[in-house]
Amino acid sequence: MDLANLSAFIAIAETGSFSLAGERLHLTQPAVSKRLASLESQLAVRLFDRLGREIGLTEAGRALLPRAYQILNVLDDTRRALTNLNGDVSGQLSLATSHHIGLHRLPPLLRRFTRSHSKVNLDIRFLDSEIAYEEVLHGRAELAVITLAPQTAPPVLAYRIWDDPLDFVVAPEHPLAQRTVISLEDIATFPAVFPGENTFTHHIAHRLFEQKGLKPNVVMSTNYLETIKMMVSIGIAWSVLPRTMLDEQVVRLPVPGVQLARQLGYISHSERTLSNAAKAFMGLLKDAATPAEG
């Protein structure tokens, strides 16, 4: 079975599109179609139903997909295991990270890593934490440095590196900034801008209000914290931001009895052999870890 054909099949299944699969694989759409046709011919089954512009996996396609992941992951795992034998820290390190961590936490670590391990080719992808989780789960990234999920299930392993306190923030001229005593009930009555509903940060903030029987007045959302900060700074809404992002553009709202935080760290796959490069980067991350509270 041709591995290139399997890769094309996986890309089509994940993107739901021949053209998007081509973009991911750096191939033309006809080339992707040719690879799929070759795979279907080899297996003597149809792997996708094509209904107009919509495509979907057939029963055979659904049966093949987890096995295709397994085949490619075993091959990658074997390559890493053999490369590791010489003890050399080289080759490619596929690393996924969120935009916020990539901008505010990783630069000094990446600088140290590239200076110490110049033979490593870093493949860094900036993704939402939730998407980066899937990249590690399916073997497309060795490591992901992200906002950790409240719960992580095997085969994904999570390691806390930083505690990231979160604060309620508004523009300096916002009505809430003029109050000396503020409650969650007060905050909930004003418009808010939140991270997207699929993000771990959204769930952390939303759960706080749910516990008090409140519902925040979320009028807009975006997954980019820098965009949220800009919208807060011009007075459109309040939000919750990492304390590391606070400056003169926004005002922190102290709420008695409320402490919000998220955990930042890295995840890996327990059933994958990590490259020497990944192990070296994990060592730098562990050295940068803040002591756990309690």
Side-chain angles (χ1 to χ4, degrees):
M1 191 179 298
D2 192 299
L3 295 175
N5 294 346
L6 273 182
S7 296
F9 164 71
I10 289 174
I12 298 166
E14 290 180 345
T15 63
S17 163
F18 284 81
S19 59
L20 292 177
E23 289 178 15
R24 176 186 289 186
L25 298 172
H26 307 292
L27 296 170
T28 63
Q29 184 173 331
V32 172
S33 299
K34 185 176 180 180
R35 289 189 180 185
L36 178 64
S38 176
L39 182 61
E40 290 179 325
S41 176
Q42 283 180 308
L43 299 176
V45 294
R46 188 174 62 192
L47 298 172
F48 291 96
D49 285 323
R50 302 161 180 82
L51 303 172
R53 294 186 178 181
E54 299 291 326
I55 63 172
L57 287 167
T58 62
E59 183 177 356
R62 289 192 294 272
L64 175 62
L65 186 58
R67 292 168 174 82
Y69 282 131
Q70 186 177 22
I71 291 168
L72 294 183
N73 287 335
V74 167
L75 177 61
D76 287 339
D77 193 70
T78 302
R79 286 172 176 160
R80 283 192 292 269
L82 294 175
T83 302
N84 284 352
L85 291 176
N86 63 13
D88 196 23
V89 181
S90 60
Q92 180 167 290
L93 171 58
S94 55
L95 177 69
T97 187
S98 69
H99 295 82
H100 175 73
I101 295 174
L103 289 172
H104 297 279
R105 298 279 187 171
L106 284 189
L109 296 179
L110 291 171
R111 189 177 300 112
R112 287 174 57 191
F113 183 81
T114 54
R115 288 176 178 174
S116 300
H117 306 292
S118 58
K119 291 191 289 184
V120 175
N121 177 29
L122 274 175
D123 174 22
I124 303 177
R125 280 165 271 171
F126 291 88
L127 305 166
D128 292 342
S129 292
E130 299 72 25
I131 298 175
Y133 182 100
E134 294 294 320
E135 292 293 291
V136 169
L137 180 63
H138 293 304
R140 291 188 294 271
E142 278 197 82
L143 299 176
V145 188
I146 59 173
T147 300
L148 298 179
Q151 294 181 328
T152 304
V156 174
L157 302 174
Y159 304 86
R160 186 201 70 85
I161 300 299
W162 303 285
D163 288 321
D164 198 32
L166 302 170
D167 287 319
F168 291 102
V169 292
V170 294
E173 66 275 12
H174 193 281
L176 286 171
Q178 318 309 317
R179 301 190 185 185
T180 55
V181 180
I182 302 168
S183 67
L184 282 180
E185 289 82 0
D186 296 329
I187 294 174
T189 62
F190 286 87
V193 54
F194 263 30
E197 291 186 6
N198 63 321
T199 64
F200 300 141
T201 306
H202 176 100
H203 293 311
I204 291 170
H206 203 272
R207 191 182 306 117
L208 175 66
F209 286 90
E210 280 186 339
Q211 290 170 349
K212 301 292 185 181
L214 300 170
K215 184 176 181 180
N217 180 22
V218 180
V219 295
M220 61 189 78
S221 63
T222 174
N223 288 3
Y224 297 101
L225 295 181
E226 285 73 17
T227 303
I228 290 177
K229 180 181 177 182
M230 180 275 294
M231 298 171 89
V232 169
S233 70
I234 61 177
I236 289 178
W238 62 267
S239 191
V240 174
L241 287 176
R243 190 168 296 168
T244 54
M245 294 184 67
L246 271 57
D247 55 24
E248 70 280 355
Q249 297 181 63
V250 296
V251 173
R252 175 175 175 264
L253 298 177
V255 182
V258 172
Q259 288 188 330
L260 278 180
R262 59 184 188 171
Q263 291 190 332
L264 311 180
Y266 71 89
I267 59 172
S268 63
H269 198 297
S270 64
E271 298 172 4
R272 306 279 186 268
T273 298
L274 292 173
S275 66
N276 289 338
K279 293 175 184 176
F281 194 74
M282 287 163 59
L284 283 180
L285 287 168
K286 291 174 181 176
D287 290 342
T290 54
E293 297 182 0

